[in-house]
Amino acid sequence: MKKRFATVTALLALLLAATAGTASAASLNGTFTTTIHGSSSLAGTWSIKFSHGNYKVIDNGRTVVRGKYTTSGNRLTMRDTSGVAACRPTGRYTFSRSGSKLHFKNTGDRTTACMGRALVLSKTFTRA
């Protein structure tokens, strides 16, 4: 009986681990928005639209970046491919969802050239 319980527990743990990765990737699909206050050049409303491995970043209604993303669990890799605010080095973040809120944590986007991306992604986003 103990052996059977251990087997069932192990299978459930594997199932949960497998669906957690899938759920994380799926949880990024959609549009998320944040507002940056103040007088800096980044002030305004920012949106990120994630869709099937692609994303676009919208600054005050204008698309400024397009790119490709991949996820592995809660890890996000972003590669800007075009746009006036595109940043060529790859960005690496972790992300978490809590209800309609989306949070990013910078884990590998520390170049001076990408400070704007890192600053915008340091804000809390809300599903639009």
Side-chain angles (χ1 to χ4, degrees):
M1 185 66 158
K2 284 184 180 181
K3 191 174 188 180
R4 185 175 180 189
F5 179 75
T7 302
V8 170
T9 302
L11 287 172
L12 283 174
L14 286 172
L15 179 63
L16 286 173
T19 58
T22 304
S24 293
S27 68
L28 277 182
N29 282 333
T31 302
F32 300 87
T33 303
T34 192
T35 301
I36 297 177
H37 301 282
S39 59
S40 80
S41 62
L42 298 175
T45 301
W46 290 84
S47 298
I48 303 175
K49 181 178 182 180
F50 292 100
S51 179
H52 308 290
N54 298 295
Y55 64 88
K56 67 179 179 177
V57 179
I58 302 152
D59 174 18
N60 292 309
R62 186 176 126 213
T63 299
V64 294
V65 176
R66 291 181 186 277
K68 304 275 186 189
Y69 75 93
T70 58
T71 60
S72 177
N74 71 333
R75 291 176 290 180
L76 169 68
T77 301
M78 303 176 80
R79 187 176 49 84
D80 295 357
T81 57
S82 65
V84 296
C87 178
R88 294 300 173 217
T90 299
R92 289 179 175 75
Y93 294 82
T94 57
F95 66 94
S96 62
R97 289 275 313 269
S98 178
S100 63
K101 303 295 183 188
L102 175 63
H103 304 273
F104 297 96
K105 181 180 178 193
N106 187 338
T107 61
D109 199 5
R110 306 200 193 298
T111 64
T112 304
C114 299
M115 276 188 346
R117 176 170 64 195
L119 179 63
V120 171
L121 292 180
S122 72
K123 305 302 179 189
T124 299
F125 283 77
T126 304
R127 187 172 186 92

